[in-house]
Amino acid sequence: MTSPYSENQIKAFQKKIFDWYRINKRTLPWRETEDPYAIMISEFMLQQTQVQRVLMYYKKFIKRYPTIQHLSRAKTATILQMWSGLGYNRRALNMLASAKTIVRKYDGDIPTDYDTLLTLPGFGDYMACAVLAFGFNRKSAVIDANIRRVYIHELGLPLTIPFKQLKEIVIRFVPRGKSRIWHNALMDYGAALPAGIKKSIPPLTRQKKFHGSFRQLRGKIIKIMLQSKLLHISLLGEMINDARFDAALLELKKEGFIRIESDMVII
């Protein structure tokens, strides 16, 4: 595919973003390291969660589990307790499962191949590209909601541009040898865009309402179980008092959050 953008246009765009970033960049703990493992942890935490909330958890978590080997030996209940408050508990299980897989299959070395990364629990296109860019400084097309807004706004792209086409454009703007800093700059620039621009370029997907949701119900069950460790299924059902209890419990068991033995729920 021939690029519709000249080298001069690409360099001008890069200069604009880098000039802004030099003055306005955010200081964040996961940007103070080039350790792929620490960066992978930050990416799991940052999915659908505000930076300020992640800041409260990240350093404490890395201190408790400084290497992927340490994390791979962690217990599910301990990880969920440390994760409590970050939301989307499935991310915590995926993070733990990925650590175990990497230690078992790759001797603790996070893969540097896009397709291999996609086989890890919790890794989709964004996660794989982010780990390659931030963890290994590899040229990849990292596209989150803010970066998507930057390209659409700055290049005048249509809101309906297909994701595959956007990726083809994005990858051409990544400066050689500067993937890590480039994507950090884009994220900060996108986060700082005026509210009016953000509203005019909505994300591709919106978070569903949390209050009263099935996700909230699952979280309530996990919270109670983390406190009790072991409860009879009927007692837990009475404590939850929700018609969706059986379905939520079955789903949590299937996903590995809990075990059920002789009518006892165990975490």
Side-chain angles (χ1 to χ4, degrees), residues 88-242:
Y88 294 95
N89 289 310
R90 189 181 286 113
R91 291 179 299 158
L93 287 195
N94 285 336
M95 178 183 65
L96 179 58
S98 286
K100 291 179 181 295
T101 301
I102 292 167
V103 169
R104 185 180 71 253
K105 293 183 66 174
Y106 306 108
D107 297 322
D109 295 324
I110 297 174
T112 57
D113 174 71
Y114 173 82
D115 290 329
T116 304
L117 286 171
L118 288 181
T119 67
L120 297 174
F123 274 73
D125 175 81
Y126 169 80
M127 188 70 176
C129 288
V131 168
L132 289 174
F134 300 123
F136 298 99
N137 200 31
R138 297 292 180 88
K139 186 171 185 176
S140 65
V142 181
I143 305 175
D144 69 350
N146 280 329
I147 290 179
R148 177 175 171 270
R149 287 188 180 106
V150 171
Y151 279 96
I152 288 176
H153 174 66
E154 295 292 333
L155 301 182
L157 301 174
L159 293 178
T160 55
I161 184 170
F163 185 75
K164 182 180 179 181
Q165 185 179 343
L166 179 60
K167 281 199 72 172
E168 291 173 348
I169 293 172
V170 167
I171 196 68
R172 296 177 185 277
F173 280 83
V174 180
R176 185 185 299 273
K178 296 182 178 179
S179 184
R180 178 182 291 117
I181 189 174
W182 172 244
H183 286 103
N184 280 332
L186 285 173
M187 284 188 169
D188 284 7
Y189 187 86
L193 284 172
I197 293 176
K198 292 181 180 180
K199 187 175 181 180
S200 68
I201 309 175
L204 290 174
T205 58
R206 294 184 181 276
Q207 290 185 350
K208 295 180 180 179
K209 183 181 178 182
F210 178 71
H211 185 68
S213 67
F214 199 66
R215 183 163 65 90
Q216 185 184 40
L217 172 61
R218 285 165 48 103
K220 184 178 179 180
I221 294 173
I222 290 173
K223 186 174 182 179
I224 290 174
M225 288 307 306
L226 286 174
Q227 294 172 342
S228 303
K229 305 300 183 185
L230 184 149
L231 279 174
H232 194 278
I233 193 169
S234 61
L235 177 58
L236 178 59
E238 291 175 7
M239 295 170 71
I240 296 299
N241 191 28
D242 190 301

Side-chain angles (χ1 to χ4, degrees), residues 37-38 41-42 57-67:
Y37 161 70
I41 297 304
S42 74
Y57 289 79
Y58 175 77
K59 285 187 176 181
K60 183 169 63 175
F61 195 92
I62 293 297
K63 184 177 181 180
R64 176 76 176 269
Y65 302 107
T67 69

